Amino acid sequence: MDTELKRQVFDTEQVPAAHRFGLWLDMLAGTPGLMRVRTEHADNFVARSEFLDLGPMQLVRHRYPSLDGVRTRKLIQRSDADYYVLALTLAGTGVADQDGQRGVCRPGDFTFYDCARPQELSHHGDDGHQPVSSVVAFIPYDALPLTRRRLAPLFAGRMSGTEGVGALLADYLIRLSAHPEQYHAADAERLAGVGLDLVSTMLGRHLVSEDAVPTEVRRRALLAQVRSHVRQQLGDAALSPQSVADAHHVSLRSLHRLFEAEETTVAAYIRDERLERCRRDLADPALGDRPIQAIAGRWGFRDKAHFSRAFRTAYGETPQAYRARHLDPARIVNTAASAINSEQTY
């Protein structure tokens, strides 16, 4: 039986206000990010952290009051330091300092640093009172294909999470950390792999040395970009292998080669994603009054006969039969409930 991703929620509101900051410091001591923290909210430190264990990578979604932190060499010796930290600012302004480099991060920005080196950081709300939030990834050294020496120029720098691979990575981390209940424990390693490929590719591009990233890592990262693009453009009837290739500045031949290891083609992937969206809508009681052709058109099928044939080939029955089989029981239940309510009313 499938189980959800392994996660742990840490909420200081479970204890009295006077003990909240101390509880937060105890939690922090158990992570690779052990720091000495200062805050003006120590008397009532309302904070929440949700930890997701993905095997090769750990994600933490934080919400906490404004604070400042410093990680000294003594603190490094007291913690497991063989990690990188990638932090995405969601709310507030973060400032990171390491090895003489400084990055100022606003919502949508990433910063990246090495847990084995001293550092300083601050994260403050706009007015000093609003809570701030972030998504943090703890990444073991050996999970990235780039050496610490190669990555050093990026420590404490700012990287955009609103464009290119950075935007795809930010969206991935936000969705995964916001809805972990939608994923299964058996998928943890695969989910981490996708995230690490995107991280490696983003870092490689900021180093202007993408060749330092192994070919297979770059291939998987590009594949994730292509899939995301397809899902966002499914309603566009003009979506095609050629338009996908053009959007990613690769040749059509290269795009087809990208899918060779996926046991499908680009065109088949587009068709299957469209059919899956149609299938979901046809089984949705809230869309029960929407014409089938309107649902098909919403997801890029403009020809009624073509849609019907493709749906029947994929699911073994016509769209009409599929909708009737899934919605009729719901309508019967609703009708019966209405009858009962009417009898009780009169």
Side-chain angles (χ1 to χ4, degrees):
M1 182 176 182
D2 287 331
T3 57
E4 293 181 6
L5 285 175
K6 183 179 179 182
R7 57 176 169 160
Q8 180 179 7
V9 177
F10 179 90
D11 190 344
T12 64
E13 289 193 282
Q14 301 298 317
V15 300
H19 301 301
R20 289 172 180 169
F21 187 50
L23 186 64
W24 173 263
L25 295 179
D26 289 342
M27 179 278 296
L28 197 62
T31 73
L34 173 62
M35 285 191 157
R36 186 169 66 244
V37 178
R38 302 183 304 276
T39 179
E40 295 181 358
H41 305 276
D43 58 336
N44 185 18
F45 197 81
V46 177
R48 178 185 173 89
S49 296
E50 186 161 352
F51 292 78
L52 294 180
D53 184 0
L54 299 180
M57 179 172 68
Q58 185 180 62
L59 285 187
V60 190
R61 191 178 181 110
H62 288 299
R63 188 185 73 242
Y64 42 76
S66 297
L67 55 77
D68 300 279
V70 59
R71 184 167 169 82
T72 64
R73 295 193 182 279
K74 287 186 177 180
L75 291 177
I76 291 171
Q77 293 172 358
R78 290 170 48 190
S79 62
D80 186 358
D82 293 337
Y83 285 86
Y84 300 113
V85 170
L86 182 74
L88 172 65
T89 300
L90 300 181
T93 298
V95 180
D97 290 88
Q98 188 169 68
D99 288 351
Q101 299 177 114
R102 179 182 176 87
V104 178
C105 298
R106 293 181 172 82
D109 290 337
F110 285 103
T111 192
F112 179 72
Y113 50 88
D114 182 356
C115 285
R117 306 184 186 206
Q119 68 204 57
E120 295 182 17
L121 65 80
S122 66
H123 199 171
H124 287 249
D126 294 335
D127 61 1
H129 296 286
Q130 290 295 321
V132 298
S133 58
S134 61
V135 178
V136 172
F138 290 109
I139 304 171
Y141 287 159
D142 60 6
L144 295 182
L146 300 163
T147 66
R148 293 170 67 195
R149 181 182 61 81
R150 296 293 296 275
L151 290 170
L154 299 180
F155 294 152
R158 184 195 74 84
M159 293 173 282
S160 174
T162 59
E163 57 187 9
V165 177
L168 184 61
L169 175 60
D171 183 62
Y172 183 79
L173 296 179
I174 289 170
R175 288 176 181 270
L176 184 56
S177 62
H179 300 288
E181 73 284 352
Q182 297 180 3
Y183 305 93
H184 301 299
D187 298 326
E189 296 273 340
R190 188 176 298 108
L191 291 169
V194 172
L196 291 170
D197 287 344
L198 293 173
V199 171
S200 299
T201 303
M202 182 183 74
L203 297 176
R205 291 187 178 179
H206 279 274
L207 287 170
V208 197
S209 59
E210 198 172 346
D211 288 343
V213 181
T215 301
E216 178 59 17
V217 171
R218 283 185 280 130
R219 187 195 74 82
R220 293 195 301 258
L222 177 58
L223 182 63
Q225 285 182 273
V226 167
R227 284 174 166 167
S228 177
H229 173 81
V230 167
R231 290 193 293 270
Q232 293 172 13
Q233 302 298 322
L234 287 176
D236 183 357
L239 180 68
S240 67
Q242 186 63 63
S243 71
V244 173
D246 293 343
H248 292 84
H249 309 290
V250 298
S251 69
L252 185 58
R253 181 179 179 182
S254 295
L255 182 65
H256 286 309
R257 193 161 53 242
L258 183 67
F259 274 77
E260 285 178 356
E262 303 305 309
E263 299 183 356
T264 188
T265 63
V266 187
Y269 179 73
I270 294 172
R271 181 200 64 222
D272 292 346
E273 286 293 309
R274 282 173 165 163
L275 287 170
E276 175 61 19
R277 298 299 178 90
C278 291
R279 185 191 66 79
R280 292 180 189 177
D281 283 1
L282 289 171
D284 186 349
L287 301 177
D289 295 328
R290 181 169 297 184
I292 290 177
Q293 186 54 31
I295 289 176
R298 177 188 182 190
W299 298 113
F301 288 104
R302 296 294 184 259
D303 184 281
K304 182 178 181 180
H306 170 66
F307 167 65
S308 185
R309 286 195 301 270
F311 192 95
R312 184 165 190 166
T313 299
Y315 301 111
E317 58 187 330
T318 65
Q320 294 86 348
Y322 181 86
R323 169 180 261 184
R325 186 164 60 83
H326 283 78
L327 293 190
D328 281 355
R331 289 176 176 171
I332 291 172
V333 170
N334 289 335
T335 301
S338 298
I340 292 172
N341 289 334
S342 298
E343 290 178 2
Q344 291 176 341
T345 300
Y346 293 101

